[in-house]
Amino acid sequence: MIRTLPQSNTFKWTYRAYVTLFFVYLALPLTVVCLMAFNNSVFPSLPWEGFTWAWFFGDEDPFIGVFNDRSILRSIGTSMFVAFWVSLLSIAVGTTNAFLFVRHDFKFKEFFYILMLLPLIIPGIILGISILVFSNAVANNLENATGMWFDGLRPGLPLVILGQFSFIATFATLVISARLEKFDRSLEEAALNLGATRLGAIRQITLPFLFPAIAGAGVVAILMSFENFNTTLMLVGSDAPLTINMFDRLKLGSTPVLNAVSLLLIVVSALLGLVSLLFQKRDKSS
Amino acid sequence: MSQQPASAQNTNAAAAFDLECRNINKDFDGFKAVNNVSFNVPTGTFFSILGPSGCGKTTLLRMVAGFQTPSSGDLLIKGKSMLGVPPNKRPVSMVFQHLALFPMMDIAANVGFGLRQRGVPREDIAKRVETVLERVGLPGVGSRHISQLSGGQKQRVAIARCMVLEPDVLLLDEPLGALDLKLREHMKIELKKLQSEFGTTFVYITHDQSEALVMSDQIAVMNHGEFEQVGAARELYHEPKTAFVAGFVGEANSFTAKVDSINGDAATLVSDDGLNIKGHDASGNLQQGDKAKVYVRPESIRLATSANQLDNVENLNQGIIENILFNGANSHILLREEKSGGELNVAIPQTGQFRDLTRGDKVYIGWEAAQTRCYKES
Amino acid sequence: MSQQPASAQNTNAAAAFDLECRNINKDFDGFKAVNNVSFNVPTGTFFSILGPSGCGKTTLLRMVAGFQTPSSGDLLIKGKSMLGVPPNKRPVSMVFQHLALFPMMDIAANVGFGLRQRGVPREDIAKRVETVLERVGLPGVGSRHISQLSGGQKQRVAIARCMVLEPDVLLLDEPLGALDLKLREHMKIELKKLQSEFGTTFVYITHDQSEALVMSDQIAVMNHGEFEQVGAARELYHEPKTAFVAGFVGEANSFTAKVDSINGDAATLVSDDGLNIKGHDASGNLQQGDKAKVYVRPESIRLATSANQLDNVENLNQGIIENILFNGANSHILLREEKSGGELNVAIPQTGQFRDLTRGDKVYIGWEAAQTRCYKES
Amino acid sequence: ETLRLLTWGGYAPENVIELFEAETGHTVEVTKSNNEEMVAKLRATNGGGFDLAQPSQDRIAGAQAEFDIYKPIDLSKIDESLFIPSMLEATKGNTTYNGEIYGVPHVWGTSGLIVNKAEASGVTDYLDLCDDSVAGKVSYRLKRPTLIGFAFSMGLDPFAAYNDEEAYKDILAKVEEKLIECKPNVKTYWGGGDEIKNLLRSGEVVAAMAWDTGGWSLNADNPDITFVAPESGALGWIDTFVLPKRGRADEAAYAWINFVMQPEIAAMITNSAGNFTASQGGDEGVEDALKARYQESFPPEAVDNIKWYPTVPANLETLEGAVLDRVKAAN
Amino acid sequence: MNSVHSRLSLYLLFTPFLLWLALLIIIPHIFMFLVSISVKTGVREYVTGLGNYMVFFTEPLYWNTFARTAFMSVSATFLTLLIGFPVAYYIAKLTRGRTKTTLFLMCLIPFWVSELVRTFGWMILLRETGIFSSFLQYIGLASEPIEFLYNDAAIMVGLVYTSMLFMVVPLVTTLDSLDDSLIEAGYDLGGNGITVLREIIIPHAMPGIVSGCIVVFMLSLGNYLTPILLGGKDSLWFTGLIYDQFITRFNWELGSAFGFLLLLLSSTIVWAGLKLSGQSLTNTVGR
Ligand SMILES: Nc1ncnc2c1ncn2[C@@H]1O[C@H](COP(=O)(O)OP(=O)(O)OP(=O)(O)O)[C@@H](O)[C@H]1O
Ligand SMILES: Nc1ncnc2c1ncn2[C@@H]1O[C@H](COP(=O)(O)OP(=O)(O)OP(=O)(O)O)[C@@H](O)[C@H]1O
Ligand SMILES: [Mg+2]
Ligand SMILES: [Mg+2]
């Protein structure tokens, strides 16, 4: 059962076969999606009509490639904008939350900690509709009272960002607290002892120590934001992030340009994931 | 940089002591972690605080460093009260139990950290860092990473990081605790040497008596938040003032006994097992009928194969060897005293005289009343 | 249950030894972790394997337990070859370095684990668990959780968990490594007592020589995957066969020196510092001009205030006391030998004779040639 | 100004946008959607977030009554001469609420049947989808057009019953029964255009209720498949232009309307979306192939038989929703 | 000095936490509840009441969907655990060094793309004219096209696939933290694979198992795309109903009521799971 115990060969090979099968299962759909990105057909499905780069670089209707498709490019931009703010907010609040829960004792701490975990057990769609309902009510009341418009409280990017932030902040908090937990407080005391101020000690010692976790949380936040669908769907306005745009396209009939986008996404997020993994590596080695 | 001149002035005025504690107390929600402790540490000495786990050593040290505020009492460094001075403004440095070297910086940056906080110019820092690293015997390691050093080297870097600031007092909280046995033996001697080289006052806390005994000029033995005895190593070892010190510092056979008669310092007692003991009243207040704790060091008990070899000793008994704990120069015999059935730990002399004793042998044992220290049991 | 009768039969037939290793080798990708090791452990003895970190002790022990397969050689328990027998079918039990108590079970479940695996009826298990807990001095703790025990108690539970299975051989991999100093001292004696009580064969590995010396009937000193010497504690301490053993077991002053002349076992050498040394050729193959390692134990060096007190010793020198390492009965002097400038570590006799020596004093030192062991340097 | 356009796929092709941007200097951001989502979005934003939307004409007055999400159209800013007059008038009539006109027509089309002639030539009306010969190989949406279509096919007239709740319920009950009975025949209820096209193209489905454009685009790929106007009549819809209540770029919105209704531009849109527009003369520039397909699907009598959706009364969709839910849940 | 500082920083740190929690989690849910208890009586007219909940309780469709969603989600969770555990164990205990990192990475890769794409991939694979069916015909195991799509099994495949990461990662983490010597001790004391698994490995991995199960369950329950796209004509999912109420029926009131019920359902099942396994939220998902 572990490396040091003798195992029968049948067992060993069955186990390996199972694991291999598992990874095949994981890889299959993605491989298929990626392959179809090169299918020379306007339909993203079999039969195979030959190889083409058109879904990346094509500019002739209907063979419009990713790089010439304004709305896809725009929604990628939107997604990046959303992801940027979501991850910024999440790591900011995640960091303060981590300090709050790791460093401080206060009344009902346990209770507040469970509240902090709540977004993990609230389905995303419900987060979406509750925020929608709430902001809608607030906006209606404000508009009735002031006669002004509060577009920021209506579905649109601000709400999308807040909606995603509402649960990604919990993940960021968990990742960052885990590392802060491992932080040896005597390092901070040593810095004080050597003449640093309180904030100086946090800035020079604690934050650098937390950096791998903060960066990791940032990457996770970006990935989660990019791929989020359920919450976003309820809060999106005129600027659709990529997943929503792709969903709309799929509903109306799409070309393999979506496969091409997916392929690009896979490549980019794999790279991002690798980067975050490297951060974790470095963090372990230090 | 800023506090150096201020404290220097004070030195001339008042203080022969680098550190003075006056009736320091520390309460944690009604629990007295440090109880009315006073002591003075003369300039340039190695002062140890020795005590079992949980006795309040760290709490005391952290009050000196400024991480904790005394509930009452005063605390002076070079004659200047430190109450209300935040830790980053005190002229003390601290070596932490796990050293607390900054893992995100290389060694030079670690050692230079304090100087950077003081705004010392960059080139100066580099120079002073290199100098202090040379002094601790690690020239040229500045650009290495912490993880590339051995345990003993890290220790020295931690000390260098403090010493570069030229503190009035260096505090050390069990800095050898995390090292392995052989390295610990070695670092004991090393630390002592570094201290005498720098000439800085060290306040060292430990629960390992051999560390305290080997290194210190003065040792304070602490128990339950209080100082039991302060003195040089030999004083504590040979003339412990309290039962706790007698039992905690060095090995000892201990008995609980009842005072049978008392004559000046000379006491006659009967142990709970029924052993007759002649001892020396170390607490100075024993009275007939008192319960007492009696301590005899293993090396004070002499072995003999016949009774007449032990003529001049007041306590003479016989025992059967139960176990020989051979440990080179530091071997012991565990034997069972015949009359009382109690177990005794006897050191085997290094002379090799009793090398061929074996289990089951019957031997005579004797020890002098003067080396049998009795303390009234409270 | 199943293997007990089988091995019992074998006992009658062949084995006076509980454990035999015959030319065991273990290669890790070309690196020889264990190199041609053979030894026998007689029934009911306490056998220690002592060696520095990384010398292959754990690897050897894990081969005995069945967690690693020897590259070559044979391994017999009670005369029965264990090659190919999986670990859960071997009549050996193991106490792991960090004990490996199951944190998800209470103590009774931990101790009863092995019996459950054998299908022993529930009530029997309860009875046998309670019995063995009593034998290790922990009656009635069965329903407690692991975390509610102290370090020493955990140790005893770990042993009980093995002993309840009545194994032929109990393997222990540095079980005291994680304990603190005082507890370690105590557990040394405790372990030895438990072993003699149970009468089970113990194979104990450690890198701490004092553990091995105090507890063992037989000690094998291991280095770089090979056994350097196997013998009783005294043998190793007083008659080390190799330079490694002389340096590793017990404290020793060491010199590198050149053989000046040799006469039978008596050698005359000059150390690298220029000190003349008369010694005993322990390796038996020294020749004039050879490089040699010379070892003298601190307690073999005698102190004197005048030269004539040391009449009969072959090596007589003078030194200045540099440091007194007071440590009660185990105090040492560090002194600098006058002629060569080398540093020597000398034990202060327990008699109290030299108690008032201080730093800077000049003393005579002398030691006998017979206690000066010289080994050819390879 | 930036024109945020909430519209259907194909109604704002890239080339048209480029021309518009070049001519007017406005930029256009397109969000593709469908009827329900348009209303849902505008409801959620309280009529904000977009400057121009294109729901079908039957989704305007009711939604306005309930949610107040549109603003009236200023007809003076629109060049009415660009529109086919009959359609313009019909739309105006249908989108009037409290005396204000809220919509003008843009694209029109029909729902009917897409049939693979080689495999299911027998399917000529909605009810034929329930025939054994095509068992397991048909598909339709579980949405209101299906209810309406089946009702017509069963000889009922749901539009006539729009304002008579009891009668409408009656019709719905019959349709519900029929749909449940028909359920085993269905391979899957399709949801997106992509899905139905894939199903038909791969031959997994041979007959389906769907939009005309879908049939025509498949026809280009496989001549056997085409759109068929059902015997009981195709369902006709008109997608409109409406101004969301809190749109910010009215100027650009009117400019866009006037721009795309020009015949040449309208033809470009028809070529892209597959559907014809309400532009006067807009069909002239349309590809011949498309015209041919249209004519094949719509013989003159079929055009006359198109059932145009009237305005949906506010409360109707709740009733329909319950029926659809029950059909979906039935086994 | 210490206490003043720490009081101040406590307030400073508490502010963002409270803002986030109150404005984005707590108050929105209160509002959702308020909307759910307002019943529509006419155009732009509402009264307070439990009418929306009554609709839920009187319409068997909603009930059935609710129960079905819960049941399928629980099944998907168990299936994910069953499939993921051996893999997690393999990665944690039977590999090391570079192999371990690589395998771990490979577990993550599929999840770096949106759920939509994954589902899309499954559709290409499973459909009647898709790759599986073609392959089976090609190797002669099937004589005519087989439909794998549009049934509950397809939904399961999709749900399990989507959730796998969130099961494997916590499992690998907890199993990694299991000291090998505990397993060795288990064997040394005479245990075999099964008893060691039952008595040592699973009890140790319990927090990871529960944590993984909670997350997977929540993801399945709250999933929208997978059941809609892969499920057949009979496939109903509660989130789909909520979506319908909000998007196609414009009925926020009923939608909110559904949302609230779903929340209740998820909390109840998570709570029951925690109670049954003797774990707490803090030591599982809260690590
Ligand atoms: N912040 C605190 N709040 C409450 N009690 C405390 C606090 N810090 C320490 N104590 C208690 O004060 C006593 C002394 O603790 P301290 O850390 O000073 O002991 P120590 O002598 O350093 O022990 P060790 O050798 O184990 O480090 C202990 O009983 C401890 O539990
Ligand atoms: N599985 C392995 N693969 C490769 N090399 C190994 C393996 N296990 C041990 N070694 C090497 O074999 C040597 C002996 O290791 P072993 O663990 O037996 O030492 P040890 O004597 O127990 O040391 P310690 O006192 O530190 O526990 C070491 O150099 C180690 O690096
Ligand atoms: Mg302490
Ligand atoms: Mg080892």
Side-chain angles (χ1 to χ4, degrees), chain B residues 53-54 56-59 97 173-174 205:
Chain B
S53 182
K57 307 181 295 293
T58 299
T59 309
Q97 175 153 17
D173 185 354
E174 314 204 20
I205 68 180

Side-chain angles (χ1 to χ4, degrees), chain A residues 100-101 106-118, chain E residues 14 17-18 20-21:
Chain A
L100 179 66
F101 283 108
F106 45 92
K107 263 190 196 161
F108 308 121
K109 178 171 169 178
E110 190 69 1
F111 172 72
F112 278 115
Y113 192 73
I114 290 178
L115 284 187
M116 192 276 292
L117 294 176
L118 272 190
Chain E
F14 213 79
F17 169 69
L18 212 59
W20 164 66
L21 191 69

Side-chain angles (χ1 to χ4, degrees), chain C residues 276-344:
Chain C
N276 289 313
I277 305 173
K278 293 210 168 61
H280 164 82
D281 175 12
S283 52
N285 57 358
L286 280 183
Q287 296 187 334
Q288 193 172 352
D290 279 355
K291 274 246 165 214
K293 271 280 195 191
V294 181
Y295 294 89
V296 185
R297 301 219 177 270
E299 74 269 20
S300 301
I301 303 181
R302 279 153 59 193
L303 290 166
T305 41
S306 67
N308 56 358
Q309 287 174 300
L310 298 170
D311 261 358
N312 51 346
V313 300
E314 290 88 346
N315 296 288
L316 180 60
N317 294 289
Q318 258 187 308
I320 292 174
I321 297 181
E322 286 222 316
N323 227 326
I324 297 181
L325 306 173
F326 180 79
N327 192 9
N330 197 19
S331 302
H332 287 243
I333 289 176
L334 288 186
L335 51 71
R336 199 153 294 284
E337 202 277 323
E338 276 214 317
K339 247 182 289 170
S340 64
E343 196 178 59
L344 278 175

Side-chain angles (χ1 to χ4, degrees), chain B residues 180-182 184-185 188-189 192-193 196 207-211 213-215 233-234 237-238 247-251 299 322-330 334 336 343 345 347-350 354-357 359 371, chain C residues 180-182 184-185 188-189 192-193 196 207-215 217 233-234 237-238 247-248 250-251 299 322-330 334 336 343 347-350 354-357 359 371:
Chain B
D180 87 9
L181 231 90
K182 286 232 155 178
R184 204 133 117 190
E185 290 299 322
K188 275 184 210 172
I189 300 166
K192 176 69 189 154
K193 281 187 188 162
S196 50
H207 63 252
D208 178 350
Q209 38 127 338
S210 100
E211 280 175 23
L213 291 175
V214 167
M215 294 192 277
R234 283 159 202 257
Y237 191 83
H238 294 300
F248 191 76
V249 179
E251 278 179 287
E299 75 270 20
E322 286 222 315
N323 227 326
I324 296 180
L325 306 174
F326 180 80
N327 192 8
N330 196 18
L334 287 186
R336 200 155 292 285
E343 197 178 60
N345 186 353
I348 306 180
Q350 290 158 358
F354 295 97
R355 211 170 266 176
D356 26 59
L357 286 178
R359 190 189 295 191
Q371 287 172 344
Chain C
D180 86 10
L181 231 90
K182 283 233 154 176
R184 204 133 118 192
E185 291 299 323
K188 273 184 210 172
I189 300 168
K192 176 69 188 157
K193 280 186 189 162
S196 50
H207 63 253
D208 177 351
Q209 36 126 341
S210 102
E211 281 176 23
L213 291 175
V214 167
M215 295 191 277
D217 296 317
R234 285 157 200 260
Y237 190 83
H238 295 300
F248 191 75
E251 278 179 287
E299 74 269 20
E322 286 222 316
N323 227 326
I324 297 181
L325 306 173
F326 180 79
N327 192 9
N330 197 19
L334 288 186
R336 199 153 294 284
E343 196 178 59
I348 307 180
Q350 290 158 357
F354 296 97
R355 210 171 265 177
D356 25 58
L357 284 177
R359 189 188 295 189
Q371 286 172 344

